[in-house]
Amino acid sequence: MVAKAEKLYKRQGERIFYSDEMVRKITNDIANVSLDLQPGNKLFIQFHPGAEQFKEGLVRIARERGVEIRIQEYDPIKKAKELKKLEAGQQHDFSGDVAEFKESADWAEKVAYLYAYENPQAFQDVDQTILKSYNTALGEIKRNVANNKRRILTHLPTLAEAKIEKMSFKNYVQMFYEACNRDWEKVIEAQDILIDEILNPGKNLELFADFDKEKQEYRTHLTMSIEGMTFANSTIYANYPGSEVFSAPVAGIISGKLTLPYSVMFAGKKLPNLSLVFEKGKVISHSVEGNPELENFVTSVLDSDEGARQVGEVAFGTNPSFYKPMLNALFVEKVGGSFHIAIGESYKMKKYAGRDVNVDNGVESSHHIHEDLTRMMTSKFGGGKVVLDGNPIQENGIFKDSRLAILNPTN
């Protein structure tokens, strides 16, 4: 039973204090399942100021278990202000800025990122040359952690995000907590069936959206090969809350058009109605609601390096508690009845959640570009279809196999 949202937090001025129940639930899941903290482990925690309660809860559990701990507070709002003071249009060396982060990440066996975005668009107005250099320095460390260490990333609800999503904070917290409070064992079982019996044996994948409408401008149709690739079963092993299966398409093949008829976050900017056209594995054209400034921004990201126009991930969201497009990148890629692709490099891990995986299609990005773009396929957002080797396996967000019901959207 999920507690009512008004009991999950209390507000004092502009500060939010989450309930003991919520802090305990999330930190216990992270310690016991996501990170499997054991005596003698080396744990690095990086947290945003708004996540201090959860940092303290995780530290308490870690100390009780004899885990070595390093902690770093990271404030995105403060960092964005620092970056805005730098000379625009110039390359800057950020190795010194991220030295503490790198040292602690290299030292750790396990890493927890506890984030709470008080201003999700803090970096929106930072000069793009500066932001790209900074993100490259950060991305190198984070990609090494993601590929080589046991790590968990969580985003906690904030007042700013609720406002952006045009939701009451009460409903936003409730949605988040319900997304956390799933029967993860049953989700794992269902996703194993989806992976082992359906996706992994497949070769040719087609993704459709908005095909039942007269207007063609929002239609999505992508074709790709997944032959030889395998999908990873992601619940709360790396993201919290989780629920997706992910892999990568064979490089050099994906073709078609991806439309996103709502706002998305892309490389730190909010973009309305982004669309991308692919040919032979690369983005060959794009548009952003006819906005030249934003289109030039997307061009600058896509031209970052050879891999920035390629696709390094394809995945399906399976968390029905998330049900709408959102700007929070962690939440939106988990939406039940959605798929997402990532522009940029692929993941390099060879094992995931204790199983051998092949999710590396060879796409590399020297700037560590990896931008997830999520497409809704439920009836409410125009419908869609997933076709594997000519056979529909999902329509309007609902999987055909009844054994996968726990993965389907409910509204």
Side-chain angles (χ1 to χ4, degrees):
M1 179 70 67
V2 177
K4 290 184 178 180
E6 60 264 27
K7 295 182 180 179
L8 293 174
Y9 69 92
K10 61 182 178 180
R11 181 171 176 172
Q12 294 182 358
E14 287 300 307
R15 284 207 63 187
I16 297 295
F17 295 88
Y18 292 99
S19 68
D20 290 343
E21 172 193 339
M22 186 166 170
V23 174
R24 184 166 53 249
K25 159 68 178 170
I26 291 173
T27 55
N28 279 338
D29 279 352
I30 288 174
N32 296 332
V33 181
S34 305
L35 296 178
D36 186 28
L37 292 180
Q38 299 294 331
N41 282 168
K42 295 178 179 178
L43 171 65
F44 171 49
I45 301 172
Q46 186 186 74
F47 75 101
H48 289 178
E52 187 164 355
Q53 275 183 279
F54 297 86
K55 179 265 294 184
E56 292 174 353
L58 187 57
V59 166
R60 184 165 53 249
I61 295 171
R63 285 177 176 161
E64 289 172 354
R65 298 186 185 183
V67 172
E68 296 183 56
I69 309 168
R70 288 190 183 183
I71 302 169
Q72 181 189 41
E73 181 177 10
Y74 174 73
D75 187 340
I77 296 176
K78 182 179 178 181
K79 177 53 67 175
K81 289 180 179 178
E82 292 175 3
L83 296 180
K84 289 177 186 178
K85 293 178 181 178
L86 299 177
E87 186 176 353
Q90 299 297 313
Q91 291 286 346
H92 295 270
D93 181 6
F94 291 104
S95 57
D97 298 66
V98 300
E100 179 188 352
F101 178 28
K102 184 178 188 310
E103 181 185 358
S104 294
D106 288 346
W107 165 85
E109 297 169 309
K110 299 176 180 180
V111 177
Y113 302 118
L114 308 178
Y115 291 170
Y117 284 95
E118 304 290 351
N119 179 2
Q121 299 178 62
F123 294 93
Q124 183 91 356
D125 298 323
V126 175
D127 175 77
Q128 290 310 304
T129 301
I130 293 172
L131 186 59
K132 188 182 294 185
S133 298
Y134 178 66
N135 285 338
T136 297
L138 275 183
E140 183 175 349
I141 303 166
K142 288 194 171 184
R143 192 58 57 189
N144 179 58
V145 169
N147 289 322
N148 298 298
K149 298 178 186 287
R150 191 151 181 175
R151 61 94 177 171
I152 187 67
L153 166 66
T154 189
H155 287 190
L156 300 161
T158 64
L159 292 166
E161 283 194 347
K163 185 176 181 179
I164 287 172
E165 302 301 345
K166 298 179 180 178
M167 297 176 69
S168 70
F169 188 65
K170 173 183 174 181
N171 289 341
Y172 195 58
V173 174
Q174 185 75 18
M175 177 183 67
F176 169 81
Y177 198 63
E178 287 179 357
C180 297
N181 214 31
R182 305 192 70 202
D183 188 333
W184 295 113
E185 290 302 319
K186 288 185 178 179
V187 173
I188 289 170
E189 290 174 9
Q191 292 191 163
D192 274 343
I193 293 170
L194 174 61
I195 291 168
D196 294 337
E197 299 185 26
I198 300 173
L199 292 173
N200 283 358
K203 295 181 180 179
N204 299 306
L205 180 65
E206 287 186 273
L207 303 171
F208 298 84
D210 262 326
F211 255 70
D212 293 333
K213 294 186 177 180
E214 291 184 8
K215 288 187 176 181
Q216 298 185 21
E217 58 190 292
Y218 294 142
R219 288 185 176 180
T220 284
H221 181 206
L222 295 174
T223 62
M224 67 195 78
S225 171
I226 56 171
E227 185 173 9
M229 309 302 296
T230 64
F231 280 75
N233 188 335
S234 180
T235 52
I236 56 173
Y237 185 82
N239 293 163
Y240 190 97
S243 209
E244 66 172 304
V245 295
F246 71 91
S247 186
V250 175
I253 294 178
I254 187 169
S255 295
K257 184 177 182 181
L258 171 67
T259 65
L260 301 156
Y262 35 76
S263 293
V264 298
M265 290 298 289
F266 183 83
K269 277 191 181 291
K270 179 181 175 183
L271 304 181
N273 295 324
L274 171 65
S275 68
L276 303 169
V277 177
F278 298 84
E279 187 176 288
K280 296 180 180 178
K282 293 184 178 181
V283 178
I284 61 167
S285 65
H286 62 275
S287 65
V288 189
E289 205 173 61
N291 185 315
E293 181 180 347
L294 292 178
E295 287 172 358
N296 288 338
F297 165 73
V298 174
T299 299
S300 72
V301 176
L302 296 176
D303 287 345
S304 295
D305 52 48
E306 181 65 23
R309 286 184 177 270
Q310 300 182 58
V311 177
E313 180 186 7
V314 61
F316 299 97
T318 60
N319 196 322
S321 295
F322 292 134
Y323 56 87
K324 62 189 283 292
M326 291 177 283
L327 293 178
N328 184 301
L330 182 72
F331 297 171
V332 72
E333 68 175 10
K334 309 299 190 298
V335 171
S338 73
F339 77 84
H340 61 273
I341 62 170
I343 305 299
E345 67 184 357
S346 60
Y347 289 111
K348 306 303 178 186
M349 72 277 286
K350 302 300 181 185
K351 282 185 174 291
Y352 190 90
R355 296 184 60 176
D356 293 334
V357 294
N358 180 22
V359 297
D360 180 9
N361 65 355
V363 175
E364 305 278 355
S365 169
S366 59
H367 287 85
H368 305 289
I369 304 296
H370 184 96
E371 295 294 331
D372 290 310
L373 297 171
T374 298
R375 186 55 158 100
M376 306 294 135
M377 293 186 293
T378 55
S379 297
K380 183 177 180 180
F381 297 99
K385 186 163 55 176
V386 179
V387 178
L388 187 61
D389 295 332
N391 300 311
I393 64 170
Q394 186 196 76
E395 289 191 8
N396 298 331
I398 307 297
F399 285 106
K400 297 284 191 178
D401 192 319
S402 61
R403 296 174 296 173
L404 308 182
I406 194 173
L407 310 180
N408 292 332
T410 56
N411 57 15

